[in-house]
Structures are given as structure tokens and as C-alpha cells.
Amino acid sequence: MIYELLSNFEQYKILTPQAMGLLAARLPELDAQLPCGKEVLIEDKLFILIQRYNSRPADAARFETHSDFIDLQMLLDGEEKVYYAPSAGLECTSVYNPDADYALYQADLARAAQFILKPGNFAVFLPEEAHLPSCGNGEAVVKAVVKIHKSLLNG
């Protein structure tokens, strides 16, 4: 898991030079006025989802993991709390769905690290890293979720 300022984005190009090179040019252009939807940068490998929603109570949500895609999440407007925990030891509540690339786990907030995601920073969750985003007290949020296929990882 990476939690960092958008101004330091360039230092992470080593992880996936092709994807991060495209994103370094595109992410600073994203703003909260964009319509919800999907922007494909590399077919089936790299895309940006623009989402609008109200944050939710953490105790009513579940952790998620992905197997095929890395999540890069950044807020364009609003603020939310995000939880992170090792997936080992979490109770699986919804087995892996390969079509949607996720599994869900019972929220064990006592074992989780937490941080605030807001405009100007981003978080990266590698495959199999359990994360619980979108938490708060009902605040309106505009988020960009970048999906990076694991085949684009360097190495």
C-alpha cells in the first residue's frame, strides 16, 4: 500500500513505467466537474473510473481485495477515511468474483490502519491488499479510481 502526495507521483514510475507515464500526464488534469464514467487509456489494462457518492459508516462496510488489478485512488472533491489491513486473517464474506475482480471481507477495524484521503494525495493498493475506502459521515465525494492491470507491473 502506498499513501502519498500527488506532487510526488513521479517517484513511483518505477513500479509500472508505462502506466505511470500515462497517468503522470493525465491525473493532474482530472477535476471534480468530470462526468461519472470510464476513460480507457490501455484497453483491458489501464482505465480511470470517475465516481460520485456519499461516504458511508465504516462499520457498515466491508474490506475488498482485487487479484488482477491495482487500485490507485484519489479524491477530486471531498474527503474520506480509508482503512487498510493485511488480508490474511480477515473473514471472507464474499468469495472472489473473477468477472468483477474482487472478494469481500468482514470489517475488522481494530486491526486496520487508517488515513484520510483528500484532493492532493493518492493511495495505491496492490493485488490482495485489503482496503476499505469511502468511509465517513455521509459527505459528498468525487473520486478517480485508476485500475492498473498487474501485467503492467515492472518485473
Side-chain angles (χ1 to χ4, degrees):
M1 199 259 329
I2 297 168
Y3 174 60
E4 181 61 273
L5 296 172
L6 190 56
S7 59
N8 294 329
F9 187 79
E10 293 281 331
Q11 71 188 25
Y12 296 96
K13 276 190 175 180
I14 192 168
L15 296 173
T16 170
Q18 181 182 14
M20 296 302 223
L22 290 170
L23 293 173
R26 184 65 183 118
L27 292 183
E29 297 173 351
L30 299 179
D31 67 50
Q33 305 310 311
L34 288 168
C36 291
K38 180 177 182 178
E39 177 183 347
V40 177
L41 301 176
I42 301 174
E43 192 67 38
D44 298 324
K45 302 278 185 191
L46 180 64
F47 53 93
I48 301 169
L49 302 169
I50 303 298
Q51 306 172 337
R52 285 183 165 69
Y53 56 85
N54 291 330
S55 63
R56 60 191 174 181
D59 57 3
R62 294 182 285 173
F63 279 91
E64 62 186 54
T65 61
H66 310 288
S67 291
D68 293 331
F69 284 89
I70 298 157
D71 264 9
L72 186 154
Q73 300 186 11
M74 64 180 251
L75 290 187
L76 304 175
D77 190 46
E79 185 174 292
E80 69 182 34
K81 188 178 289 186
V82 179
Y83 294 86
Y84 167 81
S87 56
L90 290 179
E91 179 187 343
C92 186
T93 60
S94 178
V95 296
Y96 179 69
N97 177 337
D99 295 329
D101 187 40
Y102 73 84
L104 298 175
Y105 301 83
Q106 183 63 39
D108 185 354
L109 301 179
R111 295 184 52 215
Q114 61 181 310
F115 58 90
I116 302 296
L117 193 61
K118 55 188 173 183
N121 59 26
F122 67 95
V124 176
F125 303 99
L126 297 173
E128 308 307 329
E129 290 186 329
H131 52 287
L132 173 57
S134 311
C135 298
N137 295 314
E139 299 88 357
V141 169
V142 181
K143 182 190 266 185
V145 176
V146 179
K147 295 293 202 170
I148 305 166
H149 194 270
K150 65 184 179 184
S151 66
L152 295 176
L153 278 174
N154 196 13

